[in-house]
Amino acid sequence: MSGLVLEAVSAHYGDVQALWDVSLSVAPGRLVTLLGANGAGKTTTLRTICGQVKASAGTVRYDGREITRCEVHEVADLGITLVPEGRQLFPQMTVEENLLVGSYLPRTRANRKRNLSRVYDLFPRLAERRSQRAETLSGGEQQMLAIGRGLMQEPHLIMFDEPSLGLAPILVREIFGIIRELHRQGLTIFLVEQNVHHAIRVADYCYVIENGRVVREGAPLDLEADPAIRQAYLGL
């Protein structure tokens, strides 16, 4: 199968096991969400895909190639980009400088101007603030900047780690609107999110992780109708 495939992946932080036999897939052009409470293993799953955490068992494949033991820069060069939780911007650098940091990959350097133009078209507010320091932006604008920096890497698969975290409801809707637009443009998306109400509505397919294990999966409407999901995650 092409796209991203995890097969029975386990991962540890030292002696502490964080993932147990996680299996999931993200087919090209799809928007797949990984839902779960804080500490369930969502971020560890992303870090294992990126090579920041090495799987202790199982395999990670992308477009048929095993990437389980690849280094972070090798995974990025394949077109897999992570927009991290907390944005991780350079606060003293300007908007444009932060964006240009995203074009560090050899395969993207020649396209910096084109990619910058694309980001400014998608986020006009960043274009207006291109000379401002990142620390002066609002939370929503900083999240846009983090997404824009990811797009500068020309990803084939973009992974979002809690993009709505800490944002006001109106900004959450805006960020999810951006994610929906990127999906409409054909980008493959793997979304990790605690905000189930929004995440389930943009997804093509969903997985639920609890205590490091995938416990449910299915189409969004099926999960939304599941009494256990409704009680645990939707407050219904």
Side-chain angles (χ1 to χ4, degrees):
M1 177 182 177
S2 60
L4 177 70
V5 180
L6 277 66
E7 295 178 343
V9 169
S10 296
H12 290 71
Y13 291 106
D15 294 331
V16 179
Q17 187 162 357
L19 297 180
W20 282 264
D21 299 321
V22 170
S23 296
L24 56 82
S25 62
V26 184
R30 303 277 281 175
L31 196 166
V32 174
T33 64
L34 181 63
L35 308 172
N38 188 37
K42 303 186 304 297
T43 294
T44 302
T45 300
L46 295 184
R47 295 186 68 195
T48 303
I49 293 166
C50 290
Q52 296 174 10
V53 173
K54 300 303 180 187
S56 50
T59 57
V60 182
R61 291 188 174 86
Y62 183 66
D63 284 348
R65 171 181 171 177
E66 184 171 352
I67 62 170
T68 316
R69 301 286 173 235
C70 285
E71 298 300 323
V72 174
H73 67 92
E74 295 174 313
V75 175
D77 208 37
L78 290 172
I80 300 175
T81 292
L82 173 64
V83 179
E85 179 183 349
R87 299 147 202 162
Q88 297 182 20
L89 302 172
F90 294 96
Q92 297 293 324
M93 292 170 59
T94 67
V95 165
E96 190 150 306
E97 287 168 341
N98 270 276
L99 291 173
L100 291 175
V101 167
S103 60
Y104 70 93
L105 295 170
R107 65 178 176 81
T108 65
R109 287 174 191 160
N111 300 326
R112 278 178 175 172
K113 288 185 178 179
R114 185 193 69 190
N115 292 333
L116 200 57
S117 227
R118 178 194 177 197
V119 169
Y120 285 150
D121 285 344
L122 186 63
F123 302 112
R125 268 184 281 175
L126 295 185
E128 295 167 3
R129 292 158 174 73
R130 67 181 71 192
S131 299
Q132 286 184 221
R133 294 195 309 274
E135 66 183 356
T136 68
L137 302 179
S138 69
E141 290 165 348
Q142 288 185 8
Q143 187 61 61
M144 293 175 193
L145 181 54
I147 295 171
R149 180 183 58 189
L151 293 174
M152 292 292 291
Q153 295 183 32
E154 296 183 11
H156 306 303
L157 164 64
I158 190 165
M159 303 192 299
F160 293 98
D161 191 0
E162 304 284 9
S164 73
L165 190 66
L167 299 183
I170 190 170
L171 295 174
V172 171
R173 289 193 292 273
E174 188 170 359
I175 293 300
F176 273 93
I178 290 163
I179 292 171
R180 187 181 288 110
E181 172 60 19
L182 293 173
H183 183 220
R184 189 194 65 77
Q185 293 177 9
L187 196 56
T188 305
I189 297 174
F190 188 32
L191 171 65
V192 157
E193 183 56 66
Q194 286 188 64
N195 192 322
V196 176
H197 285 280
H198 283 280
I200 211 165
R201 283 167 173 75
V202 298
D204 297 316
Y205 199 79
C206 303
Y207 294 89
V208 179
I209 189 168
E210 294 179 0
N211 299 316
R213 294 177 171 89
V214 172
V215 294
R216 283 180 179 80
E217 64 176 275
L221 289 177
D222 293 338
L223 286 186
E224 198 170 23
D226 185 322
I229 299 295
R230 290 170 66 83
Q231 182 177 5
Y233 297 103
L234 297 175
L236 300 173

